[in-house]
Amino acid sequence: SGGRGGAANGRHRPAAREGSLHEATPRILLLTTGEPLHVPRCQDGPVLTSEGMREAEELQMKKGSIGMGARQLFSDMQAFKAANPGATLADFVRWYSPPDWIEGDRAGGDEDGGGGG
């Protein structure tokens, strides 16, 4: 009955890793599991001219929508979780936006996102 997870010799098997391009370089370890962080295969965002970007920003301001940037961020987060089972939001911030990661925020857990803001 080979389902996901389960125990083998008393050890928990992690979820399957999907969409990984390669291990991150320099090597980064996930905070909770100690596994190497894997760079996910992310979708490319839409290609826009400067005029198209301006129009998208104006539409976003008029409608108050979250816009394309947030959709791209959400897509990247999903790809990251698929490539890094057991990863946390703090792990994502460390990979996606290293300047926003403040070493020592690890103790704060996921409630504060592990970074500035």
Side-chain angles (χ1 to χ4, degrees):
S1 54
R4 279 191 184 198
N9 298 329
R11 297 184 68 190
H12 176 71
R13 260 182 29 216
R17 182 180 314 279
E18 296 179 20
S20 169
L21 293 175
H22 54 79
E23 283 188 22
T25 2
R27 189 169 188 182
I28 301 171
L29 300 179
L30 299 178
L31 294 172
T32 56
T33 67
E35 293 285 320
L37 184 147
H38 283 250
V39 175
R41 180 176 292 115
C42 295
Q43 295 180 354
D44 291 332
V47 178
L48 297 174
T49 63
S50 58
E51 180 65 24
M53 287 174 32
R54 194 169 25 259
E55 288 174 6
E57 287 173 5
E58 287 174 12
L59 181 62
Q60 181 178 339
M61 294 298 278
K62 286 179 186 173
K63 297 206 174 216
S65 69
I66 59 173
M68 291 183 288
R71 281 187 234 132
Q72 184 67 43
L73 176 63
F74 183 69
S75 174
D76 291 348
M77 290 174 91
Q78 289 178 314
F80 182 84
K81 286 295 279 185
N84 295 284
T88 64
L89 179 59
D91 291 316
F92 176 76
V93 171
R94 290 167 61 221
W95 168 73
Y96 194 81
S97 186
D100 291 326
W101 174 254
I102 300 168
E103 198 63 43
D105 275 358
R106 180 178 180 171
D110 283 343
E111 293 79 36
D112 64 5

